[in-house]
Amino acid sequence: MIQLQRLEGFYWVARCEGYARAARAFPYPITQPGVHQQVKRLESELGVRLFERVGKDRVVLTPQGRALYEYMAPFYEGLSSLERSLRSGTVGGRLRIHASGHTLRHLLPPWLRRLQGQRPDIEVLLFEAKVPAVSLVRSGEADLLVDHLPDVPADLEAQQVGKTRAFLVFPSNHRLARKGPVSPEQFRDEPFITYSSDPQLRDLQLAALSHFGVVPQRMYAADSSETILGFVAAGLGYSLLASLLPRGPKVPGVVAQPLSEPAREFPIYMAWRKSPQRNPLIDALLGLAPKP
């Protein structure tokens, strides 16, 4: 195993083409014999000559030395720049974001375009979550989630980045489609399409129906709002959905009307694990977050 300390001596000698100049260029105090010793021990470990003397105080790389230098020089030459990035919090990297399908389609794209324009060094991996990915954030498998949270867990930090509003959605060829504003009460005998994967969203839907005195007799279940809208467009029933869009979901074959009573808005949060030192990539994304 090559010792990094000896590689450092080799790097500076190769760069300066001499032991005395290398000792003066070192980022910390070292003598010329000290540099020479590092290189000799490295040559001994590898069993090859790395330098050839071409003058009284000048050496050049052998073919083996050139191969080693070209491999390791980018590391040493980029180290000071990386140090500055780490200290200033502008280091790049990868963010793993789990978000609901609706948020992925309607909230994140313009937000991530701003991030890409200002921080192209940050790579974003997006994952669609059927339920808020709290457990994945806690375990470190996700860096953050963007979703509706009824309550923000104590071990997470969060910032609101949007809000949704409740809409009644039903087929555009329904007999009530041309009647103006309608109420869930008028659909009490028809199939209701609910969430299958997120019990909290399903409970919210059923609680809203209960406010109107409606208890669905028949229900279909789907795992996302997009699938629910597909069922509605196919004429299989009606539903209640929250949307980021001011006029509700825009899907062919579906009518969306705001649910005015009870008037409910649901906050969308960006949430991440609490830590003594927050990930600077999260700070970069927070700085460009939309205002609710």
Side-chain angles (χ1 to χ4, degrees), residues 16-247:
C16 299
E17 295 187 339
Y19 290 95
R21 288 187 293 274
R24 291 193 295 270
F26 250 73
Y28 54 84
I30 190 171
T31 64
Q32 178 179 339
V35 177
H36 190 269
Q37 191 74 290
Q38 287 183 0
V39 173
K40 288 303 177 184
R41 287 177 177 173
L42 180 60
E43 289 180 327
S44 177
E45 285 179 348
L46 295 175
V48 296
R49 289 185 61 196
L50 299 173
F51 294 102
E52 179 183 356
R53 185 170 294 279
V54 294
K56 181 180 179 181
D57 59 354
R58 183 169 179 261
V59 295
V60 295
L61 290 162
T62 64
Q64 295 91 336
R66 173 62 57 186
L68 179 60
Y69 180 77
E70 290 178 352
Y71 180 82
M72 57 167 291
F75 168 77
Y76 280 104
E77 290 168 0
L79 199 56
S80 60
S81 176
L82 177 61
E83 180 183 1
R84 289 193 298 271
S85 295
L86 291 172
R87 292 182 184 279
S88 65
T90 58
V91 62
R94 176 179 295 174
L95 272 178
R96 300 160 297 170
I97 303 175
H98 287 246
S100 65
H102 186 69
T103 302
L104 282 173
R105 290 161 181 77
H106 300 292
L107 179 67
L108 282 167
W111 185 4
L112 295 180
R113 280 196 297 271
R114 293 194 296 272
L115 180 69
Q116 185 181 53
Q118 295 193 22
R119 293 295 304 275
D121 58 325
I122 298 178
E123 177 187 4
V124 176
L125 300 182
L126 296 174
F127 302 89
E128 184 171 352
K130 302 302 182 184
V131 296
V134 173
S135 62
L136 296 179
V137 173
R138 281 176 172 151
S139 68
E141 295 176 63
D143 296 305
L144 53 91
L145 65 86
V146 182
D147 213 330
H148 168 65
L149 294 173
D151 298 293
V152 178
D155 57 339
L156 299 187
E157 292 186 75
Q159 177 173 309
Q160 186 177 350
V161 293
K163 58 185 177 181
T164 61
R165 185 179 179 187
F167 288 85
L168 171 66
V169 294
F170 55 95
S172 59
N173 60 1
H174 195 279
R175 57 184 174 79
L176 297 175
R178 300 180 183 275
K179 298 289 186 179
V182 295
S183 166
E185 295 169 296
Q186 296 169 268
F187 295 85
R188 66 170 59 250
D189 296 325
E190 302 187 25
F192 183 74
I193 305 172
T194 186
Y195 285 97
S196 60
S197 55
D198 192 330
Q200 292 180 331
L201 290 180
R202 182 169 61 247
D203 290 346
L204 285 172
Q205 288 177 311
L206 297 179
L209 288 179
S210 178
H211 175 82
F212 292 94
V214 177
V215 178
Q217 301 303 307
R218 293 175 294 161
M219 289 198 296
Y220 293 108
D223 63 359
S224 69
S225 58
E226 281 70 23
T227 307
I228 290 176
L229 289 168
F231 282 16
V232 172
L236 295 176
Y238 75 103
S239 191
L240 299 176
L241 293 177
S243 177
L244 288 156
L245 303 174
R247 296 185 179 182

